[in-house]
Structure formats: C-alpha cells, structure tokens
C-alpha cells in the first residue's frame, strides 16, 4: 500500500488560504535523527544536502574517501526505504548523504568494504564482540574511547584491532548504548513495583519488567540526562548492571 500524503492548509499574503501536500518541515526531520558512529565510503558521485531531504539544484558533490557519520535517519516514502547519514565536513559544517540509489548511474556511499588497516575513532565506550551480528545484551565487554586500527566495515559493524585481538563493534548502537554526557554520581534511586530497568538508555530493551522490585533504594554510580530532560541512573542489581529512568517512561 502507498503511504497516504499529508496535507496542510496555510495562509499566504497574496493568494489567501492554500493547501500544500507533504511539505518539508525541518523540525520533523530532527525527530527521526539518531546518533551513529558508522563508517561509510564516499565515491565522490554522491550529493550532500543540508537536510535529509532532496531538493533539485541544492546538493553539492561529495569528496571521495572514508568518513565517520555522526547520525542517521530513515524515511519510508511510498514503498521505498531511504536511509540518510549525517557527516561533518573538514570546515565543521554538517551535511546529509542518502544511501538509496538516485538512479541507475548514481549510487549512495558504500556501507560494506575492506580497509587497509586505517584508523577509526570510537567516540564513546563501545561493546566488542567476536563476530558480526553477535550483539547479545548480556555481553558487557567494553572498549574505551580512542583510535583503533580497522580492516573491514560491514554496514554498521567494523572489525578492529584491540588489546584482546581482532574484535567487531556495532557503530550504529555505540552512541545509543553509551551516550555522550554520562557523569559519575552517588545519588539514591527509588525502586518500586512499577519500576522498569533497561540495558541501555536509548535502545529500548527492557531488563526488568514492572513487578520485579519491591519498594527499596539503590545507589547509582553514573547519571545521564537525555535531550528530553529525563534523568537516567546506572545501578547494580541482583541480576546485573542496568539503567533506570527517574520516572517511568511514557509509552
């Protein structure tokens, strides 16, 4: 089925009230933006845009090479899924590039490729695994932020050299599992029968369902404040280390 278009009625100075269909709204684009550390390879044929939205004549040609994105965003238009990546140029400005092919002769950046032992950056503490796709929530082996040598990129995964040998990391999930802005703390957190805990602050996987805890207090060792102003606390429980929001999240 085709996605139904959205119409808006607007007031204009010269033509009065008019209807427009599916207009570009930057604020709506921002809602779909998710942080990412994914590595992509630009061929130089891609067009870069100020927003994850194509406008005829507004794109600028990309420079070829390896880049590390700072966010991604996905949109379903009609029956096709469009994925965009946000990158930061050398002069500091941000641009968006689309992965879905523009035409038969133009394609988006490469998301699977080999590297010649090039260095990539882990911007936050990142979990590591033995094989691609093995992102079990119970595995809590972490690498510290820093620069690592990589030899392969497979979509959001990268194979890197670590003190423990060659390992793989999920660069799409990294800034969601360990978002920037976490601080040390020793605040007391109230747990009740309605408390839900989460493996990570931004990925949504529930560790403890409501009804797990009786009324009690726990001492947190880390705190993170979400962009929406929600206080998250890192605590130790009888079944592992988890994150708990100060108040239940609205569903």
């Amino acid at each position: 089925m085709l996605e139904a278009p959205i119409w808006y009625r607007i007031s204009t100075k010269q033509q009065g009230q008019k209807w427009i269909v599916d207009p570009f709204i930057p604020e709506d684009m921002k809602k779909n933006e998710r942080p990412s550390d994914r590595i992509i390879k630009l061929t130089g044929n891609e067009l870069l845009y100020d927003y994850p939205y194509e406008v005829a004549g507004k794109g600028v040609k990309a420079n070829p090479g390896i880049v590390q994105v700072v966010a991604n965003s996905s949109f379903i238009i009609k029956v096709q899924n469009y994925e965009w990546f946000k990158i930061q140029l050398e002069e500091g400005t941000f641009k968006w590039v689309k992965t879905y092919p523009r035409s038969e002769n133009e394609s988006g950046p490469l998301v699977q490729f080999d590297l010649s032992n090039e260095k990539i950056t882990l911007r936050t503490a990142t979990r590591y695994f033995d094989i691609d796709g093995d992102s079990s929530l119970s595995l809590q082996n972490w690498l510290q932020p820093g620069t690592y040598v990589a030899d392969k990129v497979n979509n959001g995964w990268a194979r890197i050299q670590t003190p423990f040998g060659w390992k793989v990391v999920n660069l799409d999930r990294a800034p969601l599992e360990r978002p920037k802005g976490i601080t040390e703390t020793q605040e007391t957190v109230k747990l009740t029968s309605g408390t839900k805990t989460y493996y990570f602050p931004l990925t949504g996987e529930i560790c403890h369902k409501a009804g797990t805890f009786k009324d009690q207090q726990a001492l947190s060792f880390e705190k993170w404040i979400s962009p929406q102003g929600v206080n998250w606390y890192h605590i130790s429980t009888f079944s592992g280390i988890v994150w708990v929001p100060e108040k239940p999240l609205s569903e």
Side-chain angles (χ1 to χ4, degrees):
M1 296 181 64
L2 298 181
E3 186 178 84
I6 300 176
W7 288 81
Y8 292 84
R9 188 169 68 176
I10 63 172
S11 295
T12 67
K13 292 182 178 180
Q14 296 180 347
Q15 300 183 34
Q17 293 188 343
K18 296 291 182 181
W19 284 90
I20 56 176
V21 61
D22 288 338
F24 169 65
I25 304 175
E27 291 77 11
D28 287 348
M29 299 293 180
K30 188 68 175 178
K31 294 176 184 177
N32 289 329
E33 186 175 322
R34 289 165 62 87
S36 174
D37 286 341
R38 179 185 288 218
I39 306 295
I40 61 175
K41 187 175 184 179
L42 300 174
T43 65
N45 294 321
E46 301 86 358
L47 292 178
L48 306 180
Y49 295 88
D50 292 334
Y51 297 96
Y53 183 80
E54 269 189 302
V55 180
K58 295 294 184 180
V60 296
K61 275 291 185 71
N63 292 323
I66 306 298
V67 295
Q68 191 160 8
V69 307
V70 297
N72 70 341
S73 190
S74 296
F75 301 93
I76 297 177
I77 301 176
K78 304 304 181 186
V79 294
Q80 296 176 329
N81 184 50
Y82 293 81
E83 187 167 20
W84 291 79
F85 292 115
K86 187 178 184 180
I87 64 175
Q88 187 171 15
L89 304 183
E90 292 184 0
E91 65 269 23
T93 58
F94 292 95
K95 295 289 184 180
W96 289 86
V97 60
K98 187 174 69 172
T99 60
Y100 192 87
R102 289 171 41 80
S103 69
E104 293 182 358
N105 299 321
E106 293 181 298
S107 61
L110 299 177
V111 294
Q112 297 183 38
F113 51 91
D114 292 332
L115 292 169
S116 302
N117 291 332
E118 297 185 44
K119 293 182 178 180
I120 67 171
T121 300
L122 299 185
R123 298 178 179 135
T124 183
T126 304
R127 290 194 300 151
Y128 65 87
F129 309 94
D130 290 326
I131 58 175
D132 291 10
D134 182 12
S135 54
S136 302
L137 301 176
S138 59
L139 296 177
Q140 297 280 329
N141 300 316
W142 297 85
L143 293 171
Q144 292 304 306
T147 301
Y148 295 81
V149 171
D151 72 347
K152 181 186 292 186
V153 170
N154 179 17
N155 286 295
W157 292 84
R159 196 171 86 122
I160 63 175
Q161 178 70 64
T162 77
F164 318 103
W166 286 96
K167 301 292 181 180
V168 293
V169 291
N170 190 330
L171 298 177
D172 277 341
R173 283 184 61 100
L176 304 177
E177 294 182 350
R178 187 77 183 170
K180 294 181 180 179
I182 293 174
T183 58
E184 294 183 0
T185 189
Q186 287 190 331
E187 297 182 47
T188 300
V189 182
K190 294 182 179 180
L191 306 180
T192 70
S193 59
T195 296
K196 295 180 183 179
T197 70
Y198 299 80
Y199 285 97
F200 310 105
L202 288 174
T203 58
E205 297 101 351
I206 295 175
C207 181
H208 299 105
K209 297 180 179 179
T212 301
F213 300 98
K214 296 181 179 180
D215 290 356
Q216 59 186 287
Q217 293 184 335
L219 183 64
S220 63
F221 60 92
E222 287 184 325
K223 178 180 181 179
W224 178 69
I225 304 176
S226 74
Q228 294 76 30
V230 177
N231 292 326
W232 285 81
Y233 295 97
H234 217 177
I235 64 172
S236 295
T237 71
F238 59 89
S239 56
I241 297 174
V242 295
W243 285 91
V244 57
E246 186 175 26
K247 297 179 180 180
L249 301 179
S250 57
E251 299 183 359

